Amino acid sequence: MVIVIMGDEAKNSSTATEDVSQLNQDELIMAQQRQIEKEISETIPLVGDLENILLLEHEYSNDDVYQEKVKNLAKKYKSIRRTRPDGNCFFRAFSFAYIERLLDKKEDFDAFYKKTAKSKDDLVELGFQQFTVEDFYDTYLDVLKRVGDIAEVEGAKTELHSLFNDQGYSDYMVVYLRLLTSGQLQKEKDFYSCFIEGHTTVEDFCHQEVEPMYKESDHIHIIAACAALGTGVRVVYMDRGTGKAVTEHDLPEGCVPSVHLLYRPGHYDILYPI
Amino acid sequence: MCVVCHLFTNLKWFSQNLDIVDMTSSNHLDIKYQWDPSRDGDSAILTPTASVRIKRDLLEIFKDPPPGIYVVGDESDIRYVHAIIVGVMDTPYEGGFFYFLLKCPADYPILPPKVKFMTTDAGRVRFNPNLYKNGKVCLSILGTWTGPAWSPAQQISTVLLSIQSLMNEKPYYNEPGYDRERTPGDAKRYNEYLRHETLRVAVCGMLENECHLSIPPQLVEMMESTFLQFFDLYTETCRDNLRSDGEFYIDPFGGNTGCNFEYTKILERLETIRSNLQKKQNIPVSLPFTDGEGSDEKDV
């Protein structure tokens, strides 16, 4: 333990009062946010168990609009897997659901493994320092290898689920997909720059909105993440908007989606089609 | 998305299930020292990947040291990193030794390190609008300021380089809302104040270790050799400013009022430090480029 001595700080009472005045509002909000995030993490698993889609109705027992929408949803989807709402939910849900899906088809899984194995070099070429991406890359490949080595599909899925609920593994999987997404955006920056508002460059956008943990995802993140993994996703929107049906969006447009996600304002969960 | 909006979406989503923390209540105290590596009360054990990563961050700095940045890992606790930033030439900080204590959280680099600025003359000098007297470092990647957040692809040197960039030629303008001078001449007056405090606190104070900081010996050695190298620069700055001795300093941010410029006294301290160092290092009194013993006379 390091002992830090601040001279005669104890005598200097003005410092203490200054501390409080120097705590600005933003910081209190951030601290409060951390507090809330911590409370959330203690109650909701990173990636939940499979649940019957109709259980969603309980969440909206007093809300006819939503009840109707859940019924509609149940015509196409049999189950849902909730994810922890910590700002990483898109990346966590997408990563988990895609790998889970790949486990059903050995050739696709192997092709994805090979593609991922090459991805670190692309990132380094884009200017990421090798050692700062290495741990995340290693963990990502390690998880793929561990689940890929299990011959029986259900066993592999159980292992995947348990690794995604281990904070260490799970967060590293999220970081690596964030980095791959950032890499994709930077590689195709001419294309993506039209989707970024204001004068922010693609690089700055990546540093500010993609690479940091807990930053929520927008369309642009989703499109780039899909391109990075070479797949497509269907996002099913459920909000209080008019109409009985939920709205569907395939990203990128016209794709055959491999992953289905339920979007409710600010959050993504995984859907399983009938 | 800005912090406030981000919080808002979160709040909307979870407020049904959670009691919202009252920001004005006694919670204040816990939150107050969250930034502070020496008082955060966090004793969580590093994950294996975190400790390997800290070592790699340090190795990277040793392999390719950024100019003016010196780091040493703590001998007894790998979570702590000691760093000194030497003030860049042509800034009011030039040649000063600015000591920072960093502490990596258990899941580093998912979360950024916590940083405390230690060269504050025991809480009396605010060396920069973003470096508070109490040691707090206001930097968005540390989560203590608004702006771009930390990302796990960043490293310890990223933090130190960002701090170094705050310590620029005109730090007055770092303060939000001070993109124009409040009173004409403030930016220059702030620099004069900082130049004096750099010599008084970040050079003499650090070499004498008047605040009893636990600076690792490797960094002390670095300071001592750099001091001797910069000695002429320090004394020249003092001599150039001798005429302001006795005047009150003006800190446009309201700190340290009622103190005088004391370049004469600083000159004396510099000489004493040098002669002690020379005795300690057993260096012959005559240095290159000086005529014998009388190096004092050289610049007169």
Side-chain angles (χ1 to χ4, degrees):
Chain A
M1 189 64 198
V2 182
I3 313 250
V4 178
I5 303 163
M6 279 292 289
D8 52 359
E9 193 186 45
K11 283 184 270 169
N12 202 343
S13 60
S14 69
T15 321
T17 36
E18 192 190 26
D19 285 1
V20 180
S21 62
Q22 284 175 347
L23 262 184
N24 61 33
Q25 205 60 19
D26 267 337
E27 198 184 337
L28 281 171
I29 289 171
M30 283 192 272
Q32 189 188 10
Q33 186 183 3
R34 280 194 291 271
Q35 181 70 27
I36 294 172
E37 279 164 355
K38 195 163 158 269
E39 287 181 40
I40 292 159
S41 61
E42 281 154 12
T43 58
I44 303 173
L46 291 163
V47 178
D49 290 327
L50 272 180
E51 292 174 60
N52 189 313
I53 194 83
L54 288 168
L55 283 173
L56 272 181
E57 277 188 286
H58 296 315
E59 275 184 42
Y60 303 108
S61 51
N62 297 319
D63 192 320
D64 294 343
V65 179
Y66 271 114
Q67 289 240 354
E68 199 65 37
K69 288 189 177 178
V70 173
K71 285 200 185 89
N72 263 302
L73 199 62
K75 288 179 191 159
K76 288 185 180 166
Y77 295 98
K78 59 177 188 296
S79 23
I80 181 172
R81 215 190 262 280
R82 290 168 213 260
T83 61
R84 181 178 296 175
D86 62 357
N88 293 318
C89 55
F90 164 73
F91 287 102
R92 209 179 312 264
F94 181 46
S95 224
F96 175 85
Y98 187 50
I99 299 171
E100 188 187 33
R101 169 75 189 263
L102 288 172
L103 285 171
D104 288 327
K105 239 178 153 187
K106 183 102 178 75
E107 318 82 271
D108 290 355
F109 183 90
D110 291 345
F112 180 66
Y113 185 90
K114 272 190 202 143
K115 185 180 159 75
T116 311
K118 280 186 266 176
S119 60
K120 184 178 71 179
D121 295 341
D122 292 346
L123 290 179
V124 171
E125 209 170 295
L126 280 164
F128 285 94
Q129 226 177 326
Q130 173 137 345
F131 87 96
T132 64
V133 298
E134 211 146 48
D135 291 343
F136 309 111
Y137 165 84
D138 290 346
T139 302
Y140 205 96
L141 277 195
D142 181 34
V143 167
L144 289 182
K145 191 159 171 13
R146 281 171 71 161
V147 298
D149 283 349
I150 300 172
E152 193 251 320
V153 173
E154 283 317 305
K157 288 184 178 177
T158 309
E159 174 69 1
L160 183 69
H161 188 225
S162 102
L163 289 172
F164 262 86
N165 277 302
D166 177 312
Q167 186 98 46
Y169 281 103
S170 203
D171 282 351
Y172 274 46
M173 298 295 280
V174 169
V175 172
Y176 198 60
L177 184 53
R178 283 182 177 276
L179 296 177
L180 288 176
T181 304
S182 166
Q184 186 67 31
L185 286 162
Q186 294 183 55
K187 214 160 35 184
E188 311 274 339
K189 63 178 166 196
D190 292 342
F191 171 69
Y192 290 109
S193 61
C194 346
F195 300 101
I196 295 171
E197 288 169 37
H199 298 292
T200 315
T201 63
V202 171
E203 284 83 357
D204 284 347
F205 180 80
C206 288
H207 298 327
Q208 292 166 23
E209 301 295 335
V210 183
E211 292 161 20
M213 290 290 273
Y214 317 111
K215 285 276 180 185
E216 290 180 7
S217 302
D218 257 321
H219 266 191
I220 182 168
H221 298 76
I222 300 178
I223 293 170
C226 286
L229 300 194
T231 187
V233 54
R234 173 166 297 170
V235 183
V236 181
Y237 291 80
M238 193 163 81
D239 55 23
R240 289 201 55 87
T242 49
K244 291 176 181 175
V246 287
T247 329
E248 293 172 352
H249 274 292
D250 288 347
L251 299 171
E253 233 173 284
C255 70
V256 179
S258 60
V259 167
H260 296 246
L261 298 176
L262 174 65
Y263 179 80
R264 289 176 285 174
H267 185 61
Y268 294 90
D269 292 307
I270 307 165
L271 287 173
Y272 292 83
I274 287 171
Chain B
M1 194 183 282
C2 76
V3 180
V4 184
C5 311
H6 187 80
L7 177 71
F8 237 79
T9 27
N10 275 354
L11 282 182
K12 268 195 296 193
W13 204 239
F14 310 114
S15 52
Q16 308 144 348
N17 310 325
L18 294 166
D19 291 327
I20 301 303
V21 187
D22 179 5
M23 298 204 295
T24 55
S25 76
S26 56
N27 243 300
H28 232 121
L29 258 181
D30 310 332
I31 293 170
K32 207 169 105 180
Y33 295 118
Q34 275 299 302
W35 62 269
D36 186 341
S38 61
R39 280 160 141 174
D40 63 350
D42 176 11
S43 56
I45 295 161
L46 289 177
T47 64
T49 42
S51 60
V52 172
R53 177 57 195 274
I54 295 167
K55 286 180 198 155
R56 287 213 274 183
D57 278 19
L58 293 178
L59 210 62
E60 197 59 29
I61 299 179
F62 298 145
K63 248 173 40 197
D64 186 12
I69 292 177
Y70 300 85
V71 297
V72 174
D74 190 77
E75 270 185 0
S76 55
D77 189 336
I78 187 181
R79 292 178 301 166
Y80 289 92
V81 173
H82 306 261
I84 285 185
I85 297 179
V86 178
V88 174
M89 288 301 129
D90 302 319
T91 69
Y93 306 102
E94 70 178 6
F97 302 103
F98 300 90
Y99 172 39
F100 296 84
L101 178 70
L102 287 75
K103 180 186 182 186
C104 295
D107 55 356
Y108 182 79
I110 296 293
L111 292 175
K114 294 178 181 185
V115 182
K116 184 168 194 165
F117 178 43
M118 307 300 286
T119 307
T120 58
D121 194 21
R124 282 184 283 259
V125 179
R126 180 175 173 184
F127 264 110
N128 187 287
N130 297 56
L131 301 174
Y132 290 171
K133 285 194 234 181
N134 61 4
K136 184 168 167 184
V137 177
C138 294
L139 200 62
S140 69
I141 57 169
L142 299 179
T144 49
W145 202 247
T146 47
W150 169 259
S151 114
Q154 288 170 330
Q155 45 181 309
I156 288 172
S157 68
T158 321
V159 172
L160 295 170
L161 286 165
S162 305
I163 297 173
Q164 193 184 42
S165 76
L166 294 172
M167 302 172 72
N168 50 35
E169 295 95 332
K170 291 273 174 68
Y172 176 86
Y173 298 107
N174 290 11
E175 180 74 353
Y178 284 66
D179 43 350
R180 282 225 224 122
E181 288 174 314
R182 291 290 163 98
T183 313
D186 266 357
K188 186 167 164 274
R189 276 192 290 275
Y190 190 46
N191 277 8
E192 284 163 3
Y193 163 69
L194 293 175
R195 188 169 297 119
H196 180 267
E197 296 301 76
T198 293
L199 287 169
R200 185 178 73 85
V201 178
V203 177
C204 296
M206 287 295 284
L207 267 294
E208 293 161 355
N209 199 9
E210 59 180 357
C211 293
H212 311 291
L213 301 168
S214 312
I215 308 167
Q218 300 94 316
L219 293 178
V220 173
E221 259 169 54
M222 179 281 292
M223 288 198 291
E224 291 175 349
S225 63
T226 311
F227 174 90
L228 291 174
Q229 220 180 312
F230 285 173
F231 182 78
D232 291 345
L233 176 91
Y234 301 143
T235 50
E236 200 183 309
T237 310
C238 288
R239 291 198 180 99
D240 287 349
N241 289 284
L242 276 178
R243 75 186 60 163
S244 43
D245 265 16
E247 286 171 25
F248 286 122
Y249 2 102
I250 297 166
D251 171 4
F253 300 109
N256 254 353
T257 44
C259 295
N260 298 323
F261 286 107
E262 299 178 328
Y263 281 108
T264 316
K265 210 166 152 192
I266 292 172
L267 259 180
E268 285 165 18
R269 286 170 77 184
L270 289 168
E271 298 286 357
T272 312
I273 294 166
R274 182 173 72 155
S275 80
N276 288 341
L277 283 181
Q278 285 172 338
K279 269 183 230 150
K280 184 174 148 193
Q281 301 194 344
N282 209 8
I283 292 175
V285 179
S286 86
L287 286 165
F289 311 114
T290 60
D291 314 325
E293 198 179 325
S295 60
D296 294 359
E297 296 155 15
K298 177 176 70 96
D299 293 315
V300 177

